[in-house]
Amino acid sequence: MDTVFIQGLKATTTIGVYEHERNIKQTLIIDLEMSFDNRPPGQSDNFSHALDYEAISRRTLSYTESNKHYLIEAVAENLSRILLEEFSIDKLVLTISKPGAVSTADNIGVRIVRP
C-alpha cells in the first residue's frame, strides 16, 4: 500500500490538564501518514481518483481548533475516527506533538496507528 502524508500541520487550540493551560491557546503539530492506493490517480492523472490532502488538512484543523481537550490522546483518538470515517483512508498513522509541554524536552507527543 502507498502512503500519502501531511507533515507539520499546525493547529492552535485549548489543550492541557493544568489550570493555566485552560485559558490559553497552544500549538499542536500534527503529522498524518495515510495508506492509500496511488495507482489509480497515478495512472489517470485525475484528481477525483486521488486522496484530497487539502480537504483532510482543513478537516483536521477544523476539528482540532474548534474543540477543547485535556489530553492529546483524546485529540488523536477522536481525529483518527473522523478521518477514517470521512475519507478513503485504509490505514492511518497519526502523530500529535505538543512542543514546550515539558521544559526539559525538545518535544512530546503521541503516535497512534489505526486500520
Side-chain angles (χ1 to χ4, degrees):
M1 188 59 59
D2 304 315
T3 301
V4 175
F5 64 89
I6 300 168
Q7 293 179 329
L9 197 58
K10 293 175 182 63
T12 305
T13 191
T14 301
I15 184 79
V17 297
Y18 300 109
E19 187 63 34
H20 71 276
E21 293 179 298
R22 304 310 299 163
N23 300 313
I24 62 170
K25 298 286 187 177
Q26 297 185 70
T27 299
L28 298 179
I29 301 173
I30 302 168
D31 296 326
L32 305 165
E33 294 180 28
M34 300 159 285
S35 294
F36 184 79
D37 186 358
N38 282 319
R39 288 175 290 191
Q43 292 167 352
S44 69
D45 200 22
N46 186 326
F47 178 69
S48 67
H49 299 153
L51 195 56
D52 187 345
Y53 47 81
E54 177 64 30
I56 292 168
S57 297
R58 283 193 314 269
R59 184 63 173 113
T60 298
L61 291 175
S62 171
Y63 172 78
T64 307
E65 293 181 340
S66 66
N67 289 279
K68 296 179 179 182
H69 289 91
Y70 291 97
L71 303 174
I72 58 176
E73 292 86 346
V75 178
E77 192 60 39
N78 292 319
L79 182 57
S80 67
R81 182 185 40 77
I82 290 167
L83 295 177
L84 288 166
E85 287 175 1
E86 295 182 11
F87 297 94
S88 299
I89 300 167
D90 295 313
K91 177 182 170 186
L92 175 66
V93 178
L94 172 62
T95 305
I96 300 181
S97 302
K98 186 178 173 187
V102 175
S103 63
T104 55
D106 290 338
N107 203 358
I108 63 96
V110 298
R111 178 175 293 125
I112 63 172
V113 179
R114 298 293 180 265

